[in-house]
Amino acid sequence: MSFVIKKNLLSEGKTKKIYTTNNSLEVLIHYKDSITALDGSKNQFLQDKGILNNEISTLIFKFINSCGIKTHFIRKINNREQLCYKVDIIPLEFVVRNIVAGSMSKRLNIQEGIRLLNPIFEIFYKNDKLKDPLINDHHAVFLGIISYEEINAIYRIVSNVNNILKKYFLDKNIILVDFKIEFGKNDQNDILLSDEISPDTCRFWDKKTMKKLDKDPFRIGLKEKEEVLDIYMEILKRLNVR
């Protein structure tokens, strides 16, 4: 195992910082103690949240890697940082919906909690100035972001990830309601599942009580940020049970 040296800050987002390393093909991802909602307009400090999300995302990416899906994740370095392959992020967010919730419920005026016969895939264009609008395949190709061949390949990965994660979480008495994932390209132009997978990017409900086990209670103002930390700890506890 090679020794990793953190070097320069490459970029910083709402909840993570990315640093270069002594290997030009690898980066360090540092998880910050920030909890955000509503496109970042609600952004607060939350002690130790970065530690929890780093550990949760590590466990999930390890599982996905073990299933033969290519991801950017290499290994956890410490309680706040992961070593990952450097990728050029494709500026699209792929959302998978198994149950009606969140923006889909509001946008289509459909009651939250209705189970979908088939998963619904949505694409959002990552553009802060435009507030990450919902687009379709043809928009993405027209904008020069991606080709039809690449988007179809990503849909196959997304479908596979959804299938394996639904079972993975259900075995831990968690329903995977919906989730957002992102992809990037490495130096070989391979498409890798990237970013993070955590209660920040997923909606989780308890299988028995239907209690929300993600940041939705913070997003909609039902709980204070400190109470949400307990929810994240519950998710981590369940993921650690074998």
Side-chain angles (χ1 to χ4, degrees), residues 118-134:
N118 298 293
I120 290 178
F121 298 166
E122 296 176 342
I123 305 175
F124 292 84
Y125 177 28
K126 290 188 59 161
N127 186 307
D128 289 339
K129 291 182 180 179
L130 299 178
K131 297 185 177 179
D132 300 344
L134 175 66

Side-chain angles (χ1 to χ4, degrees), residues 30 36 48 62 145 170 173 181 189 208-209 225:
H30 175 97
T36 69
D48 293 338
K62 279 184 174 180
I145 297 170
L170 201 58
N173 291 314
I181 51 178
N189 214 37
K208 296 178 181 177
T209 67
K225 59 181 183 178

Side-chain angles (χ1 to χ4, degrees), residues 150-190:
E150 289 170 333
I151 207 165
N152 288 331
I154 286 177
Y155 277 143
R156 289 193 291 271
I157 299 170
V158 168
S159 180
N160 195 9
V161 169
N162 185 43
N163 289 334
I164 66 172
L165 286 187
K166 280 194 298 183
K167 185 179 186 307
Y168 173 73
F169 287 115
L170 201 58
D171 288 343
K172 302 170 189 307
N173 291 314
I174 300 168
I175 296 172
L176 181 59
V177 176
D178 59 37
F179 62 98
K180 170 188 75 70
I181 51 178
E182 298 182 24
F183 293 85
K185 294 181 180 179
N186 64 10
D187 65 310
Q188 300 295 315
N189 214 37
D190 297 322

Side-chain angles (χ1 to χ4, degrees), residues 47-64:
Q47 183 69 43
D48 293 338
K49 175 180 169 287
I51 295 174
L52 290 171
N53 266 14
N54 182 33
E55 183 62 24
I56 290 169
S57 196
T58 289
L59 291 170
I60 296 171
F61 268 106
K62 279 184 174 180
F63 172 72
I64 293 174

Side-chain angles (χ1 to χ4, degrees), residues 81-139:
E81 293 175 330
Q82 299 173 0
L83 181 67
C84 296
Y85 294 113
K86 184 180 180 182
V87 297
D88 291 323
I89 289 291
I90 299 168
L92 299 172
E93 295 178 345
F94 291 83
V95 173
V96 182
R97 300 187 183 277
N98 298 308
I99 297 174
V100 175
S103 63
M104 180 180 175
S105 173
K106 295 175 183 177
R107 188 169 63 244
L108 301 179
N109 193 28
I110 300 175
Q111 182 181 348
E112 188 171 271
I114 294 176
R115 293 178 181 269
L116 300 166
L117 295 178
N118 298 293
I120 290 178
F121 298 166
E122 296 176 342
I123 305 175
F124 292 84
Y125 177 28
K126 290 188 59 161
N127 186 307
D128 289 339
K129 291 182 180 179
L130 299 178
K131 297 185 177 179
D132 300 344
L134 175 66
I135 63 173
N136 63 32
D137 304 12
H138 307 296
H139 292 137

